[in-house]
C-alpha cells in the first residue's frame, strides 16, 4: 500500500461491506438454527423407509451441515474484514499524525509516482518572506519522519495483503459449498499460515538431521496447530508428498547416524510416537481441504506411494510410510479410497505381500513409533485404522468391486504376517481390519460409540454387512480370531436383520442363514466373543418384543428361534466331530459378569428401555447351567438345550409384561403368564435348534 492510497483512503465502503456481512451472519445463524433444530431434527425422528431412509435423510443432513459451514465461513469473513478495516483506519490515523508532526517541523511527504515517497521541506529558509520564520528541523528529524511513514505503510501493506491471502485460502478450503474454518480475526489466520511455513521449513531444510531442540520445536508447532485448517493445508503443500515420504524414510532408518536419533534419550524417542500422531492429524486435516494444491497433493501421494524409497539399509515402499501416518487424523474419504484401491491392486500383483513388505531379506526399519511392539511394515494396518476412523470411506471401500473386490481381499484372500515378532498377541493388520469392517457396516467409528453416533443403516451399510458376512463365512475354520469380536458387534449393529434371519423358519429374510450359522459358529469358538454375540442378540430380541405391536405372538416365537439358533452354533463350535475341538483357551476362563450394562452401544432406537431388558436376560443367561460348561466346553445336545431355561423365562417374562392384555384375551389361547408363554418360547427354541442343526448337516 503506497502513501497516496492510505492518505486518501476512504473506508466507508469497506464499512458498508462489513455491515452487509454482519447481516449475512445473522441471517445464516437463523438459517443454521432452523436447519439443525427443525429440518434435521425432524428428519432424524422420521420413520422413513426405502429411498427416503437413505437418499433424502442423507441430503437433509448434508444440507444442514452446509448451513453450519456457511455461517462459520461468513462469520470468519466478517471478523477478518472488520479486523482489517479497523487496522487500516488506525494506520491512516497514525499516518495523519506523523504528517502533522512533520509539518510542525517544516517537513512534508509527497508521493513519487512509482509507489515511493520523499520527505522535503515545506518552505525552504531561503524563500521565506521577510519578517517570517519557519520551524527548524535537523537531518535526523527528516530521517525519523521517513522511517515513521515507511513503518506505517509497511504495516498497512501487511494488513491488506495478508487479509487477501487468508481470505483466498479460506475460500479455497471448499471447492463446492463452504469451509468450516473459523477464525476470530485476521491475525489468528495469518499466524496459522506463518507457523505452517515455519514448520515446513524446519522439516524440509533439516529433515532427520535436525537437532533435538529443533525436533521439539517442530513437534510443538504440530501439536499446537494440528487442528487448524489453514496450518494443515499450508504445511502439507509446503512440504509436498515426496518430501514427506523421504523424510519419514530417513527418520526411521535403523542405522541413522544423524544427531536426532543418536542423541535422543529413551524418553525423547518415545516422543516420536507423539510426533507421528500429531503429523497424522495435520495431514489428515489437510486432505479435507479442497484447494487445488491439496487436490494435486493427494493425487501425487497415491502415485508416489507405489514407489520405493532407499534408506541407508533397506528399500521401503511409500505405502509403508504413508499408512503409518494414517493411524491418526481424519482423512478425506475420496483420498482414502483412491489410496486403498491402489494399495490393494499393488498387493494383488505381489501375490505374497508379506515377503515384499518384510523387505525380501533386507534389514527393514521400524516405521511406526506409536507403541513399542509393532514395526509398521504392514501398510494395511495403518490404512485399515484410517478407515475405522472414517466410516463413510470404510463403507465405500468394502463395497468396491472395481478395479478389484476390496472386501474379498482383506477379509478372505489376503495373506498376513507377523509384524510384531517381539510380542505375542493378535495380528495387528487383522485386528485393524476388523475395526474397519465394523465401521463399514455400522457407520460408527467403534462398537462403544456414544448414542450420538447412532447411524440409521443405509443401503450401502446393509450391502457391506452382507458382503462381509459372506466372505468371512467362506473362510470356515480359518476365520481370523482377531475378527470374532468385531463381527459380533457388527451382527449386533444389524441386530434386527440378523434376528429376523436367524428366526425365519424358511431362512429367506435378508441374510443367508448358512452364512450366519458359520460365522456364529466361528465367533463362538471364543468364550468372550460368544458372550458378546449372545448379548448383542439379546438386545435385538428385546427390541423386537418392545416394538412388535401388530402380531405380538410373532416376537415371542422369533425370540425362541434365535436363542435356539445361537445355542446350536455354540454347540457346533465346541463339539465339532468333523474338525476336532474348535474351542480356544478362553473357554477355560470363568465367566465375567461385567459384560452386562453400559459398555454396550444403544444401537436400538428404543435405547434405555431395551438395555434394561437386556441386562435382565443376560443376567439370567449367565446363571444358566450352560455357562458352567467344563474346561473343554463340551456338552451334549440334551444338556445344552436344558440349560437355557433361565434365559428363555426372562425373555418370556419381558414379552408378557409388554403384551399382558393381548395374552389374556380369550381369543389368544396358550399365552398364559405362568405356563403358556414358557411353553411357546421353549418350543420355538427347539425349532431354532433344529433349523441350525439342519443347516450344519447340509454343510
Amino acid at each position: 500500500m503506497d502513501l497516496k492510497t492510505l492518505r486518501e483512503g476512504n473506508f466507508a465502503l469497506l464499512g458498508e461491506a462489513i455491515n452487509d456481512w454482519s447481516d449475512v451472519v445473522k441471517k445464516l445463524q437463523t438459517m443454521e438454527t432452523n436447519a439443525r433444530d427443525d429440518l434435521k431434527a425432524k428428519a432424524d425422528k422420521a420413520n422413513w423407509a426405502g429411498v427416503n431412509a437413505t437418499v433424502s435423510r442423507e441430503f437433509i443432513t448434508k444440507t444442514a451441515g452446509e448451513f453450519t459451514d456457511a455461517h462459520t465461513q461468513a462469520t470468519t469473513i466478517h471478523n477478518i474484514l472488520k479486523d482489517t478495516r479497523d487496522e487500516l483506519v488506525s494506520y491512516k490515523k497514525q499516518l495523519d499524525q506523523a504528517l502533522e508532526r512533520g509539518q510542525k517541523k517544516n517537513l512534508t511527504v509527497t508521493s513519487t509516482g512509482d509507489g515511493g515517497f520523499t520527505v522535503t521541506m515545506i518552505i525552504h529558509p531561503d524563500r521565506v518572506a521577510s519578517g517570517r520564520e519557519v520551524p527548524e528541523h535537523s537531518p535526523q528529524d527528516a530521517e525519523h519522519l521517513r522511517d515513521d511513514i515507511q513503518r506505517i505503510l509497511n504495516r498497512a501493506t501487511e494488513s491488506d495483503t495478508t487479509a487477501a491471502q487468508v481470505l483466498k485460502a479460506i475460500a479455497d478450503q471448499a471447492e463446492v459449498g463452504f469451509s468450516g474454518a473459523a477464525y476470530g480475526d485476521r491475525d489468528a489466520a495469518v499466524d496459522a499460515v506463518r507457523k505452517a511455513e515455519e514448520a515446513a521449513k524446519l522439516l524440509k531444510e533439516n529433515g532427520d538431521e535436525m537437532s533435538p531442540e529443533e525436533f521439539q520445536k517442530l513437534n510443538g508447532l504440530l501439536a499446537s496447530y494440528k487442528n487448524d485448517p489453514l496450518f494443515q493445508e499450508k504445511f502439507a503443500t509446503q512440504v509436498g508428498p515426496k518430501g514427506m515420504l523421504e523424510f519419514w524414510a530417513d527418520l526411521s532408518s535403523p542405522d541413522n547416524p544423524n544427531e536426532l536419533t543418536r542423541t535422543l534419550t529413551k524418553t525423547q524417542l518415545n516422543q516420536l510416537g507423539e510426533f507421528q500422531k500429531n503429523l497424522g492429524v495435520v495431514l489428515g486435516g489437510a486432505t479435507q481441504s479442497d484447494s487445488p494444491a491439496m487436490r494435486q497433493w493427494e493425487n501425487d501421494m497415491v502415485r508416489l506411494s507405489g514407489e520405493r524409497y532407499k534408506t541407508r539399509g533397506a528399500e521401503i515402499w511409500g505405502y509403508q510410510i504413508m499408512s503409518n501416518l494414517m493411524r491418526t487424523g481424519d482423512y478425506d474419504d475420496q483420498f482414502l479410497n483412491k489410496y486403498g484401491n491402489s494399495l490393494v491392486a499393488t498387493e494383488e500383483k505381489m501375490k505374497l505381500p508379506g515377503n515384499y513388505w518384510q523387505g525380501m531379506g533386507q534389514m527393514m526399519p521400524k516405521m511406526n513409533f506409536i507403541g513399542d511392539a509393532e514395526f509398521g511394515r504392514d501398510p494395511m494396518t495403518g490404512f485399515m485404522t484410517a478407515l475405522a476412523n472414517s466410516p463413510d470411506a470404510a463403507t465405500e471401500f468394502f463395497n468396491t468391486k472395481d478395479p478389484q473386490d476390496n472386501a474379498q481381499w482383506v477379509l478372505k484372500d489376503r495373506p498376513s504376517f507377523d509384524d510384531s515378532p517381539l510380542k505375542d498377541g493378535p495380528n495387528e493388520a487383522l485386528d485393524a481390519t476388523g475395526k474397519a469392517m465394523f465401521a463399514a457396516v455400522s457407520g460408527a467409528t467403534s462398537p462403544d460409540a456414544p448414542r450420538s453416533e447412532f447411524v440409521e443403516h443405509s443401503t450401502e451399510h446393509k450391502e457391506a454387512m452382507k458382503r462381509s458376512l459372506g466372505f468371512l463365512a467362506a473362510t470356515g475354520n480359518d476365520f481370523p480370531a482377531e475378527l470374532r469380536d468385531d463381527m459380533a458387534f457388527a451382527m449386533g449393529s444389524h441386530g434386527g436383520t440378523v434376528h429376523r434371519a436367524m428366526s425365519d423358519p424358511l431362512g429367506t429374510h435378508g441374510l443367508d442363514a448358512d452364512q450366519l450359522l458359520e460365522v456364529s459358529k466361528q465367533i463362538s469358538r471364543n468364550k468372550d466373543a460368544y458372550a458378546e454375540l449372545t448379548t448383542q442378540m439379546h438386545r435385538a430380541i428385546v427390541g423386537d418384543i418392545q416394538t412388535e405391536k401388530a402380531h405380538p405372538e410373532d416376537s415371542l416365537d422369533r425370540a425362541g428361534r434365535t436363542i435356539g439358533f445361537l445355542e446350536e452354533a455354540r454347540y457346533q463350535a465346541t463339539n465339532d466331530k468333523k474338525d476336532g475341538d474348535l474351542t480356544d483357551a478362553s473357554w477355560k476362563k470363568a465367566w465375567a459378569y461385567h459384560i452386562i450394562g453400559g459398555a454396550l452401544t444403544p444401537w436400538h432406537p428404543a435405547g434405555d428401555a431395551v438395555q434394561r431388558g437386556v441386562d435382565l436376560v443376560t443376567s439370567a443367561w449367565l446363571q444358566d447351567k450352560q455357562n458352567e460348561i467344563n474346561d473343554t466346553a463340551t456338552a451334549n445336545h440334551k444338556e445344552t438345550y436344558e440349560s437355557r431355561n433361565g434365559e428363555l423365562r426372562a425373555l418370556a417374562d419381558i414379552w408378557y409384561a409388554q403384551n399382558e392384555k393381548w395374552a389374556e384375551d380369550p381369543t389368544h389361547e396358550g399365552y398364559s403368564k405362568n405356563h403358556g408363554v414358557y411353553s411357546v418360547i421353549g418350543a420355538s427354541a427347539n425349532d431354532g435348534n433344529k433349523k441350525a442343526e439342519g443347516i450344519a448337516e447340509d454343510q
Side-chain angles (χ1 to χ4, degrees), residues 29 53 57 89 112 120 137 219 226 241 326 376 402 419 422 622 642 687:
Q29 184 176 25
R57 189 191 299 273
V89 168
T112 59
T120 59
H137 66 267
N219 194 30
K226 63 184 177 183
M326 287 182 176
D402 183 33
D419 194 24
L422 304 180
L622 283 169
E642 288 178 350
D687 290 339

mmCIF file of all heavy atoms in Angstrom, residues 29 53 57 89 112 120 137 219 226 241 326 376 402 419 422 622 642 687:
data_model
loop_
_atom_site.group_PDB
_atom_site.id
_atom_site.type_symbol
_atom_site.label_atom_id
_atom_site.label_comp_id
_atom_site.label_asym_id
_atom_site.label_seq_id
_atom_site.Cartn_x
_atom_site.Cartn_y
_atom_site.Cartn_z
ATOM 1 N N GLN A 29 -27.131 -17.467 10.715
ATOM 2 C CA GLN A 29 -27.283 -18.071 12.040
ATOM 3 C C GLN A 29 -28.717 -18.553 12.241
ATOM 4 O O GLN A 29 -28.952 -19.651 12.760
ATOM 5 C CB GLN A 29 -26.908 -17.064 13.122
ATOM 6 C CG GLN A 29 -26.946 -17.661 14.528
ATOM 7 C CD GLN A 29 -26.475 -16.672 15.582
ATOM 8 O OE1 GLN A 29 -26.543 -15.469 15.390
ATOM 9 N NE2 GLN A 29 -25.986 -17.183 16.692
ATOM 10 N N ALA A 53 -35.221 -43.203 3.411
ATOM 11 C CA ALA A 53 -34.397 -43.546 4.571
ATOM 12 C C ALA A 53 -32.921 -43.365 4.281
ATOM 13 O O ALA A 53 -32.114 -43.292 5.195
ATOM 14 C CB ALA A 53 -34.662 -44.981 5.000
ATOM 15 N N ARG A 57 -32.710 -38.557 3.710
ATOM 16 C CA ARG A 57 -32.143 -38.264 5.029
ATOM 17 C C ARG A 57 -30.703 -37.767 4.901
ATOM 18 O O ARG A 57 -30.294 -36.817 5.565
ATOM 19 C CB ARG A 57 -32.189 -39.523 5.908
ATOM 20 C CG ARG A 57 -31.830 -39.231 7.361
ATOM 21 C CD ARG A 57 -31.615 -40.520 8.123
ATOM 22 N NE ARG A 57 -32.791 -41.364 8.152
ATOM 23 C CZ ARG A 57 -33.752 -41.275 9.058
ATOM 24 N NH1 ARG A 57 -33.688 -40.353 9.995
ATOM 25 N NH2 ARG A 57 -34.779 -42.106 9.028
ATOM 26 N N VAL A 89 -7.821 1.804 9.325
ATOM 27 C CA VAL A 89 -8.254 3.098 9.871
ATOM 28 C C VAL A 89 -7.234 3.602 10.887
ATOM 29 O O VAL A 89 -6.890 4.793 10.918
ATOM 30 C CB VAL A 89 -9.647 2.972 10.516
ATOM 31 C CG1 VAL A 89 -9.981 4.223 11.335
ATOM 32 C CG2 VAL A 89 -10.710 2.745 9.444
ATOM 33 N N THR A 112 6.075 9.800 -5.041
ATOM 34 C CA THR A 112 6.981 9.925 -6.187
ATOM 35 C C THR A 112 6.359 9.383 -7.468
ATOM 36 O O THR A 112 6.953 9.491 -8.535
ATOM 37 C CB THR A 112 8.292 9.169 -5.917
ATOM 38 O OG1 THR A 112 7.993 7.788 -5.679
ATOM 39 C CG2 THR A 112 9.008 9.762 -4.715
ATOM 40 N N THR A 120 10.454 16.239 2.133
ATOM 41 C CA THR A 120 11.046 17.527 1.744
ATOM 42 C C THR A 120 10.582 18.615 2.703
ATOM 43 O O THR A 120 9.653 18.431 3.486
ATOM 44 C CB THR A 120 10.628 17.917 0.310
ATOM 45 O OG1 THR A 120 9.204 18.005 0.256
ATOM 46 C CG2 THR A 120 11.132 16.893 -0.706
ATOM 47 N N HIS A 137 14.383 22.137 11.726
ATOM 48 C CA HIS A 137 14.459 20.673 11.853
ATOM 49 C C HIS A 137 15.875 20.237 11.552
ATOM 50 O O HIS A 137 16.615 20.925 10.836
ATOM 51 C CB HIS A 137 13.474 19.989 10.913
ATOM 52 C CG HIS A 137 13.806 20.201 9.457
ATOM 53 N ND1 HIS A 137 13.263 21.239 8.717
ATOM 54 C CD2 HIS A 137 14.644 19.525 8.620
ATOM 55 C CE1 HIS A 137 13.750 21.180 7.480
ATOM 56 N NE2 HIS A 137 14.587 20.167 7.404
ATOM 57 N N ASN A 219 7.716 -30.424 16.672
ATOM 58 C CA ASN A 219 6.626 -31.195 17.277
ATOM 59 C C ASN A 219 5.669 -30.265 18.029
ATOM 60 O O ASN A 219 4.455 -30.477 18.024
ATOM 61 C CB ASN A 219 7.197 -32.251 18.229
ATOM 62 C CG ASN A 219 6.168 -33.278 18.626
ATOM 63 O OD1 ASN A 219 5.247 -33.580 17.870
ATOM 64 N ND2 ASN A 219 6.312 -33.850 19.812
ATOM 65 N N LYS A 226 -2.369 -28.510 15.105
ATOM 66 C CA LYS A 226 -2.766 -29.707 14.355
ATOM 67 C C LYS A 226 -4.217 -29.691 13.907
ATOM 68 O O LYS A 226 -4.578 -30.384 12.952
ATOM 69 C CB LYS A 226 -2.491 -30.961 15.188
ATOM 70 C CG LYS A 226 -3.271 -31.057 16.490
ATOM 71 C CD LYS A 226 -2.849 -32.288 17.274
ATOM 72 C CE LYS A 226 -3.570 -32.367 18.618
ATOM 73 N NZ LYS A 226 -3.095 -33.531 19.417
ATOM 74 N N PRO A 241 4.265 -34.131 -1.021
ATOM 75 C CA PRO A 241 4.150 -35.572 -0.738
ATOM 76 C C PRO A 241 5.488 -36.300 -0.790
ATOM 77 O O PRO A 241 5.779 -37.135 0.072
ATOM 78 C CB PRO A 241 3.179 -36.070 -1.808
ATOM 79 C CG PRO A 241 3.201 -35.033 -2.876
ATOM 80 C CD PRO A 241 3.484 -33.737 -2.203
ATOM 81 N N MET A 326 -1.224 -42.541 8.673
ATOM 82 C CA MET A 326 -2.694 -42.534 8.641
ATOM 83 C C MET A 326 -3.310 -43.064 9.929
ATOM 84 O O MET A 326 -4.529 -43.100 10.054
ATOM 85 C CB MET A 326 -3.200 -43.412 7.489
ATOM 86 C CG MET A 326 -3.019 -42.838 6.118
ATOM 87 S SD MET A 326 -3.739 -43.984 4.914
ATOM 88 C CE MET A 326 -3.510 -43.056 3.407
ATOM 89 N N GLY A 376 5.405 -51.588 11.956
ATOM 90 C CA GLY A 376 4.811 -50.726 10.943
ATOM 91 C C GLY A 376 5.192 -51.112 9.533
ATOM 92 O O GLY A 376 5.111 -50.285 8.615
ATOM 93 N N ASP A 402 -14.573 -52.788 -8.223
ATOM 94 C CA ASP A 402 -13.794 -52.398 -9.388
ATOM 95 C C ASP A 402 -12.814 -51.293 -8.988
ATOM 96 O O ASP A 402 -13.238 -50.303 -8.363
ATOM 97 C CB ASP A 402 -14.747 -51.897 -10.483
ATOM 98 C CG ASP A 402 -14.029 -51.528 -11.770
ATOM 99 O OD1 ASP A 402 -13.015 -52.173 -12.085
ATOM 100 O OD2 ASP A 402 -14.482 -50.586 -12.448
ATOM 101 N N ASP A 419 3.986 -58.779 12.277
ATOM 102 C CA ASP A 419 4.705 -57.506 12.240
ATOM 103 C C ASP A 419 5.174 -57.081 13.626
ATOM 104 O O ASP A 419 5.667 -55.982 13.802
ATOM 105 C CB ASP A 419 3.809 -56.425 11.635
ATOM 106 C CG ASP A 419 4.591 -55.176 11.247
ATOM 107 O OD1 ASP A 419 5.805 -55.285 11.009
ATOM 108 O OD2 ASP A 419 3.981 -54.092 11.193
ATOM 109 N N LEU A 422 8.458 -59.304 18.449
ATOM 110 C CA LEU A 422 8.938 -59.187 19.825
ATOM 111 C C LEU A 422 7.822 -59.372 20.838
ATOM 112 O O LEU A 422 8.059 -59.354 22.042
ATOM 113 C CB LEU A 422 9.591 -57.813 20.034
ATOM 114 C CG LEU A 422 10.742 -57.458 19.081
ATOM 115 C CD1 LEU A 422 11.281 -56.071 19.412
ATOM 116 C CD2 LEU A 422 11.850 -58.500 19.161
ATOM 117 N N LEU A 622 -26.397 -65.843 32.187
ATOM 118 C CA LEU A 622 -25.138 -66.149 32.871
ATOM 119 C C LEU A 622 -25.342 -67.133 34.016
ATOM 120 O O LEU A 622 -24.415 -67.851 34.405
ATOM 121 C CB LEU A 622 -24.514 -64.854 33.407
ATOM 122 C CG LEU A 622 -23.816 -63.985 32.364
ATOM 123 C CD1 LEU A 622 -23.487 -62.620 32.944
ATOM 124 C CD2 LEU A 622 -22.552 -64.661 31.871
ATOM 125 N N GLU A 642 -31.312 -78.056 27.754
ATOM 126 C CA GLU A 642 -31.969 -77.961 29.048
ATOM 127 C C GLU A 642 -31.429 -76.821 29.900
ATOM 128 O O GLU A 642 -32.048 -76.423 30.883
ATOM 129 C CB GLU A 642 -31.829 -79.284 29.812
ATOM 130 C CG GLU A 642 -32.685 -80.410 29.241
ATOM 131 C CD GLU A 642 -32.488 -81.714 30.004
ATOM 132 O OE1 GLU A 642 -31.556 -81.766 30.843
ATOM 133 O OE2 GLU A 642 -33.246 -82.665 29.759
ATOM 134 N N ASP A 687 -37.276 -75.401 17.742
ATOM 135 C CA ASP A 687 -37.333 -75.232 16.291
ATOM 136 C C ASP A 687 -36.076 -74.534 15.779
ATOM 137 O O ASP A 687 -35.554 -74.866 14.712
ATOM 138 C CB ASP A 687 -38.570 -74.411 15.903
ATOM 139 C CG ASP A 687 -39.864 -75.187 16.126
ATOM 140 O OD1 ASP A 687 -39.805 -76.436 16.187
ATOM 141 O OD2 ASP A 687 -40.922 -74.538 16.247
#
